[in-house]
C-alpha cells in the first residue's frame, strides 16, 4: 500500500513537472494580460500621469460612444466579406494544387509568400497599386477609380487586399486536409457510380469539416482583430470612417486620445465577442464532424 502511494505521488509530481511549461505560458501570455486589461478598464489613465480608480465609468462611456458601436458593425461587415471569399478561394486553390499539375510545388511557395510578409509592407505596396492617379490598377484598366477614397469602394478594396494576403494560408491547410482523405474512399465512390460533383459534395466536403472548422476559427479571430493592413491602406478610418474597424478604434482611443481605460473596455468587449463566436462555431461543427472514417 505504501509503495502504491509513493508511486502515485511520484506520478503526480511528474505530471505537474511536465505541465509546468505549458501552465507558465498560459498564465504569462493569456491569463495575466486579460487580468491587466480588466484592471485597466476600471482606471482613468493617460499613459503618463497617475492612474485613478473610476469603477464602471469607462464602461458607461464606451456604451454611450456611438463610434464604437459603428466600428463593431463595420468589423462585422468586413468579416462577412473576407471569410467566405478567402475560404472558398483557398479551397479552390487547394483542389487545383492537389491535382498534381505541373509547377504546383513552385506555386505553393508563391501563394504562401503574401501571408508571411509583414502586413504593413503589403499595405504600403497595395496603397501604391490602388492609388488614383499613378496607381498600377487604374493604369491597367485605363480609368481613374478612387479605390480607397470612395466611401463605397474603400471597405471592399481593403477586404480584397486582406483576402489576397490570407488565401494562401487557407489553401495550405485545405491542401493538408485533402491529402489526409484516403484515395480508397473516392475509388469506392467511383465504383458505385458517383460523379465528380457527388464525390465533392458528399465525400470531400464532409471529410474536410475538421479542417474547415480550424480555418474558420483562426481566420475569424484574425479578421476581427485586423488592424495593420487596414491602417496602412486607409489611415484615420478611411473616407467618412467607413474602415474604422474595432482594432483601429482601440488603437485610436489608447494612443491618440490616451483614454486607456476606455480602450481596455473595448478590448474586453472584443475578447468576449470572439469567445462567443468561437463557442458557437465549436458547437455547430461538433455535431456535424466525423473524424473516424470507419464510422
Amino acid at each position: 500500500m505504501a509503495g502504491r502511494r509513493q508511486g502515485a505521488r511520484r506520478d503526480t509530481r511528474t505530471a505537474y513537472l511536465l505541465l509546468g511549461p505549458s501552465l507558465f505560458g498560459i498564465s504569462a501570455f493569456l491569463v495575466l494580460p486579460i487580468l491587466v486589461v480588466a484592471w485597466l478598464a476600471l482606471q482613468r489613465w493617460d499613459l503618463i500621469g497617475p492612474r485613478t480608480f473610476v469603477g464602471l465609468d469607462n464602461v458607461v462611456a464606451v456604451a454611450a460612444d456611438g463610434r464604437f458601436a459603428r466600428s463593431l458593425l463595420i468589423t462585422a461587415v468586413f468579416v462577412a466579406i473576407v471569410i467566405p471569399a478567402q475560404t472558398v478561394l483557398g479551397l479552390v486553390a487547394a483542389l487545383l494544387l492537389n491535382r498534381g499539375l505541373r509547377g504546383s510545388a513552385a506555386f505553393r511557395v508563391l501563394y504562401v509568400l503574401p501571408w508571411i510578409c509583414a502586413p504593413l509592407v503589403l499595405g504600403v505596396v497595395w496603397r501604391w497599386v490602388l492609388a488614383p492617379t499613378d496607381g498600377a490598377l487604374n493604369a491597367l484598366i485605363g480609368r481613374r477609380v478612387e479605390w480607397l477614397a470612395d466611401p463605397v469602394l474603400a471597405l471592399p478594396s481593403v477586404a480584397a487586399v486582406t483576402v489576397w494576403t490570407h488565401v494562401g494560408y487557407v489553401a495550405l491547410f485545405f491542401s493538408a486536409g485533402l491529402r489526409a482523405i484516403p484515395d480508397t474512399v473516392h475509388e469506392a465512390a467511383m465504383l458505385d457510380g458517383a460523379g465528380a460533383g457527388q464525390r465533392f459534395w458528399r465525400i470531400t466536403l464532409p471529410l474536410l469539416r475538421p479542417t474547415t472548422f480550424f480555418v474558420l476559427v483562426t481566420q475569424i479571430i484574425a479578421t476581427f482583430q485586423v488592424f495593420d493592413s487596414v491602417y496602412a491602406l486607409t489611415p484615420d478610418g478611411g473616407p467618412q470612417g467607413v474602415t474604422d474597424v474595432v482594432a483601429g478604434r482601440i488603437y485610436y482611443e489608447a494612443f491618440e486620445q490616451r483614454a486607456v481605460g476606455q480602450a481596455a473596455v473595448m478590448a474586453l468587449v472584443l475578447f468576449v465577442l470572439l469567445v462567443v463566436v468561437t463557442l458557437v462555431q465549436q458547437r455547430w461543427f461538433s455535431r456535424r464532424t466525423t473524424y473516424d472514417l470507419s464510422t
Side-chain angles (χ1 to χ4, degrees):
M1 183 64 74
R4 286 185 180 179
R5 288 179 180 173
Q6 289 180 352
R9 289 172 185 166
R10 188 168 53 249
D11 291 343
T12 303
R13 287 196 296 270
T14 304
Y16 280 120
L17 188 64
L18 294 174
L19 289 173
S22 297
L23 291 175
F24 174 78
I26 293 173
S27 302
F29 301 109
L30 181 62
V31 177
L32 182 60
I34 293 173
L35 294 177
V36 170
V37 172
W39 176 71
L40 287 174
L42 302 175
Q43 312 287 324
R44 180 182 293 118
W45 187 37
D46 62 358
L47 292 172
I48 299 175
R51 292 178 295 275
T52 306
F53 180 79
V54 294
L56 297 178
D57 286 0
N58 289 324
V59 178
V60 175
V62 169
D65 188 354
R67 295 173 301 179
F68 179 61
R70 185 168 184 259
S71 69
L72 280 174
L73 179 61
I74 291 172
T75 306
V77 174
F78 185 76
V79 171
I81 297 173
V82 168
I83 296 302
Q86 71 184 19
T87 303
V88 172
L89 290 175
L91 178 58
V92 170
L95 288 169
L96 292 175
L97 290 172
N98 272 34
R99 290 181 172 230
L101 301 177
R102 193 172 181 179
S104 296
F107 190 69
R108 282 193 181 93
V109 177
L110 290 176
Y111 72 63
V112 174
L113 280 178
W115 175 62
I116 62 177
C117 292
L120 272 175
V121 174
L122 294 176
V124 172
V125 171
W126 273 100
R127 197 170 176 179
W128 170 76
V129 171
L130 300 174
T133 53
D134 54 353
L137 184 56
N138 282 352
L140 183 66
I141 64 177
R143 54 178 295 199
R144 179 189 174 101
V145 179
E146 301 281 353
W147 298 104
L148 299 175
D150 188 325
V152 176
L153 295 177
L155 190 64
S157 299
V158 175
V161 173
T162 304
V163 170
W164 174 83
T165 304
H166 292 90
V167 72
Y169 172 86
V170 175
L172 192 68
F173 284 97
F174 274 128
S175 183
L178 288 171
R179 288 174 178 272
I181 299 175
D183 293 336
T184 53
V185 178
H186 285 286
E187 291 169 359
M190 291 175 66
L191 289 175
D192 289 339
Q198 289 176 311
R199 294 199 303 275
F200 175 74
W201 290 107
R202 297 181 180 277
I203 296 176
T204 304
L205 272 186
L207 293 179
L208 279 177
R209 278 175 186 158
T211 306
T212 307
F213 170 68
F214 176 80
V215 166
L216 288 178
V217 168
T218 56
Q219 290 305 292
I220 286 177
I221 291 174
T223 308
F224 262 104
Q225 300 177 85
V226 67
F227 167 70
D228 30 24
S229 59
V230 176
Y231 184 79
L233 287 166
T234 55
D236 302 324
Q240 301 177 15
V242 295
T243 60
D244 184 20
V245 293
V246 172
R249 174 56 43 190
I250 294 172
Y251 171 83
Y252 175 79
E253 292 293 338
F255 298 105
E256 295 191 14
Q257 294 298 310
R258 294 185 177 180
V260 177
Q262 294 183 27
V265 173
M266 294 177 183
L268 287 176
V269 172
L270 179 60
F271 171 73
V272 172
L273 180 63
L274 289 177
V275 169
V276 171
V277 170
T278 303
L279 289 176
V280 170
Q281 290 181 87
Q282 195 275 335
R283 189 175 180 83
W284 193 87
F285 273 93
S286 64
R287 295 178 176 176
R288 295 168 174 80
T289 301
T290 300
Y291 294 91
D292 188 355
L293 293 178
S294 65
T295 59

